[in-house]
Amino acid sequence: MSFSISLTINGEKRAIALDDPRVTLLDLLRERLHLTGAKKGCDRGQCGACTVLVDGRRINSCLTLAASLDGADITTVEGLANGDDLHPVQAAFIAHDGLQCGYCTPGQIMSAVGLIAEGHAGDDPERVRELMSGNICRCGAYKGITEAVLDAQKTLKDGKRRDAA
Amino acid sequence: MNRFEYVRPASVQEAVTAASQPGSVYLAAGTNLLDLMKLGAARPERVIDITRLPGLGEIDWRPDGSVRIGAMVRNSDLAYDERFARTFPVVAEALLSGASAQLRNAATVGGNLMQQTRCAYFQDVASACNRRAPGSGCDAREGENRLHAVLGWSESCIATHPSDFCVPLVALDAVTEVAGPNGMRDVAIDALHALPGETPERETALQPGELITALKLPSDAAAFADHARYLKVRERTSFAFAVVSAAAALRIDGGKIQSARLALGGVAAKPWRARDAEAVLENAPPTQEAFAKAAELALSEARPSGKNAFKIELARRLIVRALSLSTEGTPEAMPALPASPFATVPSANHAR
Amino acid sequence: MPVEIFPSSPEHRRHGSNAGQPLTRRDGLLKVTGKATYAADNHREGMLYAVAAVSSIARGRVKSLDVQAAKSHPGVVEVITPANRPPLAHNPNQKMPPFGFRIEVLQDDTVRYANQPIAMVVAETLEAATEGAALLNPQYETDTARTRRENGERFKPEAVGVGGPSRVAHGDIEAGFASAARVTEAEFVTPAQYHNAMEPHAVVAEWDGDRLTLDMPNQALVLSCAGYATYFGIPPENVLIRSPFIGGGFGSKAILNGPQILAILAARMLKRPVKLALPRAQMYGPVGHRGATWQKLRVGTDAGGRLTALHHHTLSATSSFDDFLEPAANASLPLYASPAILAEHEGLRLDTGTPGPMRAPGEASGSAALEVAIDEAAEACGMDPLEFRLANYAETEPGTGRPFSSKALRECYAEGAKRFGWSGRPLAARQMRDENGCLVGWGMGTAVFHCPHFPAEARATLRADGTGLLETAGVDMGQGAWTALAQIGAEALGLDPEMVELRSGVSSLPDGGIAGGSGHTASAGLALHNAGRNAIDQLVDLATADPESPLFGAGNVGVVARAGRLHRRDDEGRSESYSDILARARRTELVGDAKAAREPAAAEAHAMFSHGAVFAEVKVDPDLGQVRATRLVGAFAAGRIINPRLVRSQYYGGMIWGASFALLEEAVTDHRTGRIMNSDLAEYHVPVNADLPSLDAILIPEDDPYVNPLGVKGVGEIGITGTVGAIANAVWHATGVRARRFPIRIEDLLSDW
């Protein structure tokens, strides 16, 4: 069974031929499109390493059939920076050492971008910790991750305020 | 994952027709189904993708104050819907205590209602499981069953229903709207999930091809908005299934409980409505004594199915706590740690 | 290549200093942009996917496999079983020294643990390989699984851990107990734990004739080349391992394992590159774990609360066919001053995969038990737990009397207690509540970890443009090696870190040794330091011998290398840039090579340990038994700190592992089948962000002239030790319930029930 789907990935619209309906979004990105930023940690929605944005919302790409997303807009960690300019979340993760081995980092970062867009955490670190709990970091970089999310959120807010002024 | 035919119907009618063929399953977000397919615990021949069906994505408020929620509304969209969270705070709290932000962004209302047990023996295809493979036996019964059912279980199956969302829904008399080969019908949440008995493979009241199109909360459910809490004991602070959970909702007037709703999660194959406990609370003052009596009644039929006797006592205590917190009043804002015993809510009432 | 243990630059040649700075990670940019390439991110033209089928029984044999069903699945290329598995040049039932275990590579149809590979399916797509493996429908002849203490076979081990002593006795233990005013006894059970690095083990294997290229996460690059070469009958230099990024190792990626070898074999058999990435569930078996322990402690104290005897017995589980025994009892050897100490181990053979080193092997489980027992002894003596530990402070190594190379533990206790606010702690349990009515408890534990030093090699090159190149086959699995090693090397070269390039993570580079035992920064770092000094020495010789150099003849007064220039020590205004010196000498580069190892005499004469003190606050719901570790403060002394930012992260990570050990981690085995029933990340709980709201790590200064010329000790594992006990003791302080098994469960804390 072969069919074609259309996805916009990191701003680029792509027609993708699929010969197998079993392909998840994560495996499509990694094994067929060679966009390997999103990582496979559990393949069961239990670790968050595969987090990407679909139509602006953070989801686990391992538990989503690619075929089901026909027409969707996907953002992966590769699409976050603007050329050499890091997204504020990326910069904050480096500054706060919100990473160690780096394997969960693309998922953490995409989750953080999603969290900030959702806007439910405010500046409460406890809410950030709760809303980042879908992203497991076995190295234990949580303190830096929480600080990075709060810091990046502030940077983004200040930037918006500046833009508005 | 086995190979399957992927079908994307254009209407509910088309979907129902397609799914009426044997071996068919509905696919919503896939957060539960795809997982089971990867494990081999589900091996459908035909996957009917219902995520694009028209008319299933709306939250409609009716003039009488009731609400109809389309089955494809995402868990997070419902939980963060301002009017919904204000009107049914206990449902919002339950939703936000479940899974992770990513999963809540994907998972749908209908999918959450239809999620299957987390019993390790159900998920492990090398194990005997009457629910997955009728007649094969139940390896959980004498197995690692610390977290299994203490209410409503049978020798055939001791699995629990894992949903948080369904617990306040059953307490509030929520109803599903179901489309099927013979038209539309309503199925109450309390009637949707089945206890195992001798046929644990019959997990719900739905017939082949039937599709949940909406969830409806009645107008009188809104009357509990001021005194309603969901509480969930977990083995880690977040992103964990309930060891035991409880939804408590009270209508208090003149120092008396006018009406009470109480349900438990993580204790049975369905979200467990504790009607006897509700009855004893009605017209009683909201005191620890009344709550303790309600808790005793709620668990009067409970018995351990294995190494899980502690869950019975835990459930009693959780009921008392949930009722106490409900009495104090629904918090102004959603706690930072929804449904957690560590949610920072002042003056919690601790018995010990 | 000069083979020197301590290349001895004359003391008057001083080098610039830029280590000690809290630089951000050099690999941070690649990691936050998704450009860091982990093993499974690699693709090759014509690559196939391999998926292992694993056993669902723990003991017996595979009677049949439906190979035809798998092969009939579209896309499946080959099914490898014992019937068609090509030969290997090494017998997998033989150990491969120094760290190679006996492994399962389809040598026969026997099954010796659940999740053992029993076939490998290779296919054009990952989807096809996965389903092919699911279609094999194995039939077994099943023997009774032995996975419990009661049915495992006990034995007297010759060694524990990696060649550690099975029994150590100092003094007369029974005389010590006889003279005690009190004897405190306690037993503890620690469960099997699984490393669960976020990156599952993976490999992309490609053969070119008899040359093998492996993209794989690997904590022991050069050593592993020799191992693979032995298995495949090729010279070690024919194996190239690329491991630039490792998604967490924690000990599990230092040792050869069956699935990866089978994937490499499949690539050779099918003459195409093969990718294997283990599903999460398959990491609960063939790639090591922390073995379960049953520990018994006896603590004798005199009337003043001083130890008279300390007896630590451990029963350590290993597999039925190989030995790695968690050396838990040895955790009681280096810490508390007792005239008599007995640490001894027994072994228990179970039908599990062979355990292996997992972050702080032995120290973690042993410290968990010891620190609770010490707390109980303090309680029995009516003493504050910190006061008790200070009363039993070991000024020299217990038993041997050797001096410590350095030991700032007293400062760790003092600073940690101060930051935590320990002094207000009530002595008795169940005395504190928070504003919500939750029980609050404070507990502490002492942290200790040994300081190994592995032989390592490195190369440092000064280039004509004034930049430096540092090369060593080092390993960054998150501990920050890229950054710390570059800082050390840059310091030795007298260059700013941004002026040096670090090449690492590839086996063809000089052997950087093993990333394990918390010894990598010291070991590979010292090699780089020596290589850098070697290069600078050559540069100094060029300059001071050159009449045209302002440094001509400065050899006697000395030269300082700093920020890319050599300066006369007696007149720092007279200087010359590296590039000018090289240009005039018509040299395009200067290459310094070095090997490094610990000086045996220093190692003999001193006890070498990192130390720390961990203070924990927990909250426990008094009715519901749910626990949260709300505050952890650790103060650690680990010699010279190369990069405080990254070291803090290592301490945080270690402390989180400690919290995980105390409250969450446990593999749940169904003893009827020997199968682990929570082999995933939803039910095998590791901490999430919300679990640890407050962490604090204090870096206590410590100058160690003996441990190595850099003065660097290890920081990667010590954070777990002390923390488990601190949390368990805090749980007692909150509830009055003493931990007897880990993790501490909700039902353990449901009072009055």
Side-chain angles (χ1 to χ4, degrees):
Chain A
M1 175 177 174
S2 268
F3 51 100
S4 176
I5 61 169
S6 160
L7 294 176
T8 302
I9 301 176
N10 298 330
E12 187 192 342
K13 192 163 181 183
R14 305 175 70 151
I16 296 159
L18 270 182
D19 56 2
D20 193 330
R22 293 175 295 186
V23 180
T24 62
L25 175 60
L26 178 62
D27 288 335
L28 175 73
L29 292 170
R30 290 183 52 78
E31 307 301 338
R32 292 166 188 251
L33 305 180
H34 301 179
L35 278 168
T36 54
K39 296 289 184 274
K40 186 180 282 189
C42 70
D43 210 23
R44 298 184 59 192
Q46 300 170 349
C47 79
C50 67
T51 303
V52 300
L53 304 184
V54 173
D55 298 329
R57 300 157 65 99
R58 49 175 167 158
I59 58 126
N60 302 105
S61 61
C62 72
L63 282 187
T64 308
L65 280 189
S68 186
L69 294 179
D70 195 2
D73 189 320
I74 316 287
T75 307
T76 72
V77 72
E78 289 96 333
L80 215 49
N82 185 3
D84 287 342
D85 291 341
L86 292 181
H87 186 282
V89 170
Q90 293 173 310
F93 265 69
I94 296 177
H96 292 274
D97 210 34
L99 66 146
Q100 293 187 28
C101 81
Y103 195 79
C104 73
T105 308
Q108 300 276 1
I109 286 174
M110 297 315 290
S111 192
V113 172
L115 178 151
I116 293 168
E118 288 157 14
H120 301 302
D123 56 5
D124 179 359
E126 187 86 320
R127 287 180 197 272
V128 171
R129 284 189 283 268
E130 161 67 23
L131 292 171
M132 287 298 291
S133 282
N135 292 84
I136 290 176
C137 170
R138 182 59 155 160
C139 298
Y142 293 133
K143 183 182 165 92
I145 290 168
T146 304
E147 290 169 358
V149 174
L150 287 165
D151 190 9
Q153 182 174 256
K154 188 169 179 303
T155 305
L156 284 162
K157 210 187 256 173
D158 292 350
K160 253 186 210 141
R161 206 173 295 134
R162 262 199 312 278
D163 291 348
Chain B
M1 196 187 296
N2 63 296
R3 287 188 302 164
F4 53 82
E5 183 190 353
Y6 172 77
V7 182
R8 198 190 291 158
S11 68
V12 168
Q13 194 48 52
E14 265 184 52
V16 168
T17 305
S20 297
Q21 300 174 62
S24 301
V25 292
Y26 288 118
L27 172 74
T31 53
N32 186 218
L33 177 63
L34 278 184
D35 186 29
L36 292 170
M37 288 168 68
K38 288 179 187 196
L39 293 168
R43 293 182 70 81
E45 291 164 33
R46 190 172 305 95
V47 172
I48 320 289
D49 183 348
I50 52 172
T51 50
R52 286 137 198 279
L53 293 181
L56 302 190
E58 306 301 317
I59 302 173
D60 293 326
W61 293 91
R62 302 291 161 89
D64 68 350
S66 68
V67 64
R68 179 187 180 278
I69 303 146
M72 290 301 107
V73 170
R74 309 285 168 163
N75 284 192
S76 54
D77 289 341
L78 183 60
Y80 289 120
D81 182 275
E82 215 169 294
R83 182 165 175 191
F84 182 84
R86 200 173 57 241
T87 313
F88 306 109
V90 62
V91 182
E93 185 166 21
L95 276 170
L96 292 177
S97 75
S100 66
Q102 290 97 311
L103 288 164
R104 294 192 293 268
N105 273 346
T108 63
V109 163
N112 194 318
L113 303 183
M114 292 302 290
Q115 73 182 295
Q116 292 179 279
T117 182
R118 306 290 308 182
C119 173
Y121 298 90
F122 173 78
Q123 295 191 343
D124 170 29
V125 293
S127 293
C129 172
N130 291 319
R131 185 173 287 261
R132 174 171 36 76
S136 61
C138 172
D139 274 347
R141 184 70 185 88
E142 301 293 328
E144 292 304 311
N145 47 24
R146 207 183 130 244
L147 299 175
H148 281 71
V150 294
L151 281 163
W153 55 272
S154 73
E155 291 299 324
S156 299
C157 181
I158 62 170
T160 61
H161 194 262
S163 170
D164 293 300
F165 183 40
C166 290
V167 181
L169 289 184
V170 77
L172 296 179
D173 283 335
V175 171
T176 57
E177 178 190 282
V178 175
N182 304 317
M184 307 290 290
R185 66 176 180 130
D186 281 356
V187 179
I189 292 286
D190 201 18
L192 178 68
H193 303 99
L195 289 176
E198 297 302 305
T199 54
E201 72 278 11
R202 286 187 209 154
E203 297 181 290
T204 71
L206 298 190
Q207 298 299 313
E210 283 195 317
L211 172 68
I212 295 175
T213 51
L215 173 74
K216 298 188 285 197
L217 277 155
S219 56
D220 63 355
F224 298 95
D226 291 342
H227 295 279
R229 285 304 300 274
Y230 184 68
L231 264 184
K232 176 179 178 185
V233 175
R234 280 164 276 195
E235 294 190 307
R236 63 182 173 192
T237 308
S238 183
F239 202 13
F241 289 93
V243 175
V244 179
S245 68
L250 302 174
R251 207 154 51 73
I252 301 175
D253 198 15
K256 274 189 175 175
I257 298 169
Q258 302 299 320
S259 175
R261 299 292 178 84
L262 184 65
L264 293 170
V267 295
K270 60 182 288 186
W272 190 267
R273 178 85 178 261
R275 290 180 201 275
D276 289 354
E278 292 172 3
V280 80
L281 287 168
E282 273 169 32
N283 293 315
T287 60
Q288 292 295 303
E289 293 69 35
F291 299 158
K293 199 170 162 195
E296 278 306 316
L297 271 173
L299 277 301
S300 61
E301 307 277 300
R303 60 197 170 107
S305 60
K307 306 163 192 169
N308 55 2
F310 78 97
K311 284 181 64 169
I312 299 172
E313 174 63 12
L314 185 58
R316 286 193 195 104
R317 295 181 184 189
L318 193 63
I319 288 172
V320 173
R321 176 72 61 77
L323 289 167
S324 304
L325 290 175
S326 301
T327 302
E328 285 177 26
T330 306
E332 285 293 310
M334 183 62 65
L337 302 175
S340 170
F342 300 110
T344 41
V345 178
S347 68
N349 210 335
H350 294 185
R352 286 162 191 85
Chain C
M1 188 184 291
V3 180
E4 295 175 89
I5 289 180
F6 296 132
S8 47
S9 293
E11 279 312 304
H12 57 266
R13 285 182 186 167
R14 196 149 58 82
H15 300 274
S17 176
N18 49 40
Q21 301 302 310
L23 304 182
T24 56
R25 281 170 203 273
R26 284 169 78 91
D27 45 355
L29 187 67
L30 291 173
K31 286 177 173 174
V32 301
T33 52
K35 290 177 184 156
T37 308
Y38 298 81
D41 298 342
N42 286 282
H43 288 268
R44 299 276 174 278
E45 195 63 35
M47 188 178 77
L48 295 168
Y49 291 85
V51 171
V54 297
S55 160
S56 61
I57 67 164
R59 186 176 165 221
R61 53 176 285 270
V62 179
K63 279 196 304 192
S64 69
L65 292 165
D66 193 347
V67 172
Q68 204 43 52
K71 276 195 161 173
S72 306
H73 190 78
V76 171
V77 171
E78 185 58 275
V79 178
I80 306 174
T81 71
N84 66 343
R85 191 270 261 163
L88 288 164
H90 175 78
N91 178 354
N93 291 324
Q94 297 291 324
K95 287 175 89 80
M96 187 186 296
F99 303 124
F101 290 111
R102 299 184 175 99
I103 60 175
E104 307 72 36
V105 281
L106 306 177
Q107 57 264 45
D108 54 39
D109 61 6
T110 60
V111 173
R112 37 198 197 188
Y113 60 89
N115 272 348
Q116 175 192 314
I118 54 171
M120 182 160 279
V121 178
V122 190
E124 299 287 350
T125 66
L126 178 57
E127 291 76 20
T130 305
E131 178 63 5
L135 290 170
L136 284 169
N137 189 25
Q139 302 298 309
Y140 302 98
E141 194 175 283
T142 308
D143 292 330
T144 306
R146 300 159 302 187
T147 51
R148 295 156 49 232
R149 176 167 55 164
E150 293 71 25
N151 62 4
E153 179 198 331
R154 289 207 187 205
F155 69 104
K156 284 272 172 211
E158 291 189 355
V160 293
V162 184
S166 170
R167 186 177 189 278
V168 177
H170 296 302
D172 184 336
I173 194 77
E174 288 315 323
F177 283 117
S179 70
R182 287 184 192 82
V183 177
T184 306
E185 295 193 24
E187 295 190 32
F188 303 90
V189 183
T190 67
Q193 300 174 344
Y194 285 77
H195 303 77
N196 275 308
M198 293 313 297
E199 176 200 29
H201 291 63
V203 62
V204 174
E206 185 168 28
W207 288 89
D208 178 8
D210 66 351
R211 304 188 75 83
L212 174 62
T213 302
L214 300 173
D215 289 298
M216 71 189 314
N218 195 303
Q219 293 177 242
L221 288 166
V222 175
L223 187 67
S224 298
C225 285
Y228 289 114
T230 304
Y231 265 103
F232 291 98
I234 55 176
E237 58 271 22
N238 282 16
V239 183
L240 178 69
I241 301 179
R242 296 186 291 213
S243 188
F245 300 97
I246 301 184
F250 312 117
S252 73
K253 289 169 179 165
I255 295 162
L256 272 58
N257 61 71
Q260 282 171 321
I261 293 211
L262 286 170
I264 300 166
L265 192 60
R268 183 153 79 173
M269 181 181 179
L270 300 169
K271 299 185 169 50
R272 288 171 67 177
V274 167
K275 180 193 285 194
L276 167 89
L278 289 189
R280 175 62 53 184
Q282 292 185 9
M283 294 179 69
Y284 292 75
V287 293
H289 66 281
R290 192 195 300 284
T293 70
W294 294 264
Q295 302 180 53
K296 185 173 179 185
L297 274 112
R298 285 196 296 159
V299 184
T301 44
D302 66 17
R306 287 174 171 273
L307 295 174
T308 63
L310 176 58
H311 180 193
H312 193 158
H313 177 277
T314 300
L315 175 65
S316 297
T318 187
S319 69
S320 67
F321 54 94
D322 211 340
D323 295 350
F324 185 93
L325 292 106
E326 186 78 359
N330 293 347
S332 282
L333 294 172
L335 205 44
Y336 297 110
S338 174
I341 304 179
L342 174 59
E344 53 182 351
H345 298 82
E346 274 186 89
L348 180 71
R349 297 210 176 281
L350 301 177
D351 296 316
T352 66
T354 305
M358 176 164 152
R359 203 173 189 179
E363 287 89 350
S365 354
S367 163
L370 171 67
E371 291 301 319
V372 174
I374 287 292
D375 226 60
E376 295 189 56
E379 182 198 354
C381 295
M383 289 170 73
D384 172 82
L386 176 54
E387 181 196 353
F388 183 83
R389 284 170 173 83
L390 285 168
N392 290 290
Y393 194 88
E395 301 291 353
T396 58
E397 186 180 39
T400 70
R402 286 192 301 179
F404 289 102
S405 61
S406 62
K407 181 177 178 178
L409 176 57
R410 220 184 281 282
E411 292 77 2
C412 294
Y413 284 141
E415 288 301 312
K418 193 168 131 196
R419 181 80 59 91
F420 185 82
W422 180 260
S423 62
R425 177 185 178 275
L427 212 49
R430 292 184 79 92
Q431 301 299 305
M432 301 194 293
R433 299 254 180 171
D434 73 358
E435 66 281 10
N436 296 317
C438 272
L439 294 164
V440 179
W442 290 355
M444 68 167 297
T446 310
V448 65
F449 200 81
H450 62 282
C451 303
H453 198 111
F454 306 110
E457 303 169 15
R459 185 159 56 232
T461 303
L462 283 172
R463 293 154 159 168
D465 63 358
T467 64
L469 170 65
L470 303 168
E471 294 174 290
T472 187
V475 172
D476 198 325
M477 49 187 174
Q479 81 278 37
W482 276 35
T483 313
L485 294 179
Q487 283 179 270
I488 292 169
E491 178 183 77
L493 285 175
L495 289 171
D496 291 336
E498 59 269 26
M499 295 297 283
V500 300
E501 178 189 350
L502 175 78
R503 290 188 190 152
S504 190
V506 182
S507 64
S508 53
L509 296 167
D511 184 358
I514 300 161
S518 299
H520 194 49
T521 302
S523 304
L526 183 59
L528 279 169
H529 172 81
N530 291 349
R533 288 180 68 150
N534 181 302
I536 288 293
D537 285 350
Q538 295 178 46
L539 186 72
V540 170
D541 289 344
L542 280 183
T544 56
D546 181 350
E548 290 181 39
S549 170
L551 304 169
F552 178 64
N556 291 330
V557 293
V559 172
V560 177
R562 193 172 55 235
R565 299 181 76 83
L566 296 182
H567 303 256
R568 278 182 74 103
R569 191 172 177 165
D570 60 345
D571 180 2
E572 295 214 358
R574 293 170 71 187
S575 70
E576 192 171 27
S577 74
Y578 297 176
S579 46
D580 286 348
I581 298 168
L582 290 171
R584 200 154 357 81
R586 296 171 199 277
R587 300 287 290 268
T588 56
E589 60 179 29
L590 280 178
V591 180
D593 285 306
K595 286 192 177 186
R598 176 174 279 156
E599 195 182 8
E604 281 295 308
H606 297 91
M608 297 177 177
F609 293 93
S610 300
H611 291 92
V614 181
F615 297 84
E617 175 185 275
V618 304
K619 292 189 177 177
V620 183
D621 188 296
D623 304 325
L624 309 176
Q626 193 170 319
V627 186
R628 194 177 190 207
T630 45
R631 200 153 60 90
L632 294 178
V633 176
F636 300 96
R640 183 177 172 217
I641 298 305
I642 300 299
N643 185 321
R645 179 193 305 264
L646 306 191
V647 164
R648 254 188 208 100
S649 287
Q650 284 292 94
Y651 290 149
Y652 295 147
M655 288 156 73
I656 289 175
W657 271 60
S660 190
F661 191 124
L663 300 174
L664 298 176
E665 278 183 64
E666 175 180 27
V668 176
T669 299
D670 186 324
H671 296 295
R672 299 169 301 174
T673 59
R675 199 149 66 232
I676 295 169
M677 298 311 296
N678 62 341
S679 55
D680 57 39
L681 289 174
E683 305 301 333
Y684 182 100
H685 288 149
V686 299
V688 295
N689 198 320
D691 281 314
L692 282 306
S694 174
L695 295 166
D696 202 349
I698 304 166
L699 278 49
I700 301 295
E702 191 177 64
D703 185 23
D704 193 319
Y706 304 108
V707 69
N708 53 51
L710 297 174
V712 169
K713 295 177 173 179
V715 299
E717 294 166 274
I718 187 171
I720 309 177
T721 70
T723 304
V724 190
I727 290 173
N729 293 333
V731 167
W732 169 79
H733 193 236
T735 63
V737 177
R738 282 289 179 193
R740 288 292 172 255
R741 60 178 182 184
F742 291 100
I744 300 168
R745 298 187 186 106
I746 284 165
E747 57 264 46
D748 297 336
L749 303 179
L750 284 183
S751 52
D752 315 322
W753 175 71

